[in-house]
Amino acid sequence: MKKALSLLLFAVLAIVGLSSCGDDEPDVNNRIVNATAQSLIHVLNGQDGTGSMASGETKIAINRGSMTTELTTTFTIGGEAQQVSLQGLATTADSERGTFTFTASSATAGSHTITGLTGTYNYYLDMITVSYTVDGRYQVNATPSEFSYSFTTTESKCDTDTFKYHDILYTFTIDPATMKASLKLGAVRLNDKLGQIEHLDYEGLSVAVNGNGYEVTGTNCPTVTDIKNPLNYLLKSVKAQVNVASGSFSGTFSLPGYTLTASGTETKPEDK
């Protein structure tokens, strides 16, 4: 009798354990995983090095059975929007990182040839990124409007003293309608004597499109963070480059008494 009860309890626990797996993943009962995102679609003209940007919708449907992806997105060349609709893209899954990656070496979209397509859907963050080349000339990157860099190096200069930190978080969020950006600095350190500031937030920075991505600039921007002595954290000037192709940034940020020179990546360099 005890043996039978033990076996029954084991079976119940096994069922409970199986039903709790994958809580952080898309519904494992769904054969098709659908996702839609509003994207910033950056186009680099490989002939003259200029860049352009438009906002658009990116849709994917991932078939878990065949491990293929259907992709619908857009790109704009010469002011004319083109739709890309591709099916049967080879797909792999990484449950540790919570991602699906889909690729195509060559495909057609209307009269255009698509090459080197790579896309990723992160289902933990519900985020889609796609990159590809059009007609061997235009490099297209469809990304979220938020660019967050957690693997960074920052040099903070105050008079003749220089301090170096590797844990300051930089997040730029671009509004394509206004071509303005917000900036959030997290886990901020200015020198070794001052304590860590949880975050400093700024709004209304200007955005310009270039060949690599976006340039974010601003002068005399007050922090919108509720913090003691906010004038001490006035952003006197900022000039930052957001590189969409490499997933990196670099910039200079001037605050009263301090100049921060920073660079970083969205992911660990060894993960690229």
Side-chain angles (χ1 to χ4, degrees), residues 2 31 58 107 111 115 145 147 161 176 178 189 204 217 221:
K2 289 183 178 180
R31 183 181 179 87
T58 300
S111 61
T115 55
S145 59
F147 301 87
D161 296 324
T178 62
R189 296 287 301 277
T217 58
C221 301

Side-chain angles (χ1 to χ4, degrees), residues 30-184:
N30 286 346
R31 183 181 179 87
I32 305 297
V33 178
N34 295 291
T36 302
Q38 284 298 126
S39 302
L40 298 183
I41 301 175
H42 181 274
V43 178
L44 164 64
N45 186 329
Q47 289 191 339
D48 59 19
T50 59
S52 62
M53 184 268 283
S55 59
E57 192 173 68
T58 300
K59 293 183 178 181
I60 57 171
I62 301 170
N63 188 318
R64 286 172 166 268
S66 61
M67 288 305 290
T68 57
T69 296
E70 179 179 336
L71 168 69
T72 303
T73 186
T74 62
F75 62 88
T76 300
I77 295 176
E80 183 179 353
Q82 304 283 338
Q83 187 176 66
V84 178
S85 295
L86 301 175
Q87 297 180 345
L89 303 178
T91 303
T92 58
D94 186 331
S95 58
E96 182 178 350
R97 297 182 182 178
T99 59
F100 290 102
T101 299
F102 45 92
T103 59
S105 58
S106 181
T108 58
S111 61
H112 299 282
T113 300
I114 306 294
T115 55
L117 185 146
T118 300
T120 300
Y121 173 51
N122 186 314
Y123 50 80
Y124 290 152
L125 303 176
D126 195 23
M127 184 173 71
I128 305 171
T129 59
V130 184
S131 65
Y132 53 92
T133 301
V134 178
D135 299 334
R137 174 179 175 180
Y138 301 97
Q139 178 62 44
V140 181
N141 285 278
T143 67
S145 59
E146 179 180 289
F147 301 87
S148 188
Y149 306 92
S150 53
F151 302 95
T152 64
T153 297
T154 302
E155 283 192 353
S156 176
K157 292 186 178 181
C158 177
D159 297 328
T160 59
D161 296 324
T162 300
F163 307 91
K164 184 174 285 190
Y165 304 104
H166 296 283
D167 51 2
I168 298 178
L169 174 70
Y170 295 81
T171 301
F172 302 86
T173 303
I174 295 175
D175 182 346
T178 62
M179 292 303 288
K180 296 292 184 180
S182 62
L183 167 65
K184 181 173 184 175

Side-chain angles (χ1 to χ4, degrees), residues 169-207:
L169 174 70
Y170 295 81
T171 301
F172 302 86
T173 303
I174 295 175
D175 182 346
T178 62
M179 292 303 288
K180 296 292 184 180
S182 62
L183 167 65
K184 181 173 184 175
L185 280 63
V188 183
R189 296 287 301 277
L190 298 177
N191 65 46
D192 290 346
K193 294 181 179 179
L194 294 176
Q196 185 182 89
I197 302 168
E198 184 176 353
H199 61 91
L200 292 172
D201 301 270
Y202 303 92
E203 297 177 349
L205 306 180
S206 298
V207 177

Side-chain angles (χ1 to χ4, degrees), residues 13-29 124:
L13 290 175
I15 293 171
V16 171
L18 287 172
S19 65
S20 64
C21 290
D23 287 344
D24 294 327
E25 300 180 1
D27 188 345
V28 294
N29 295 316
Y124 290 152

Side-chain angles (χ1 to χ4, degrees), residues 1-18:
M1 183 66 178
K2 289 183 178 180
K3 184 177 181 180
L5 288 173
S6 296
L7 290 173
L8 178 60
L9 178 60
F10 176 80
V12 171
L13 290 175
I15 293 171
V16 171
L18 287 172

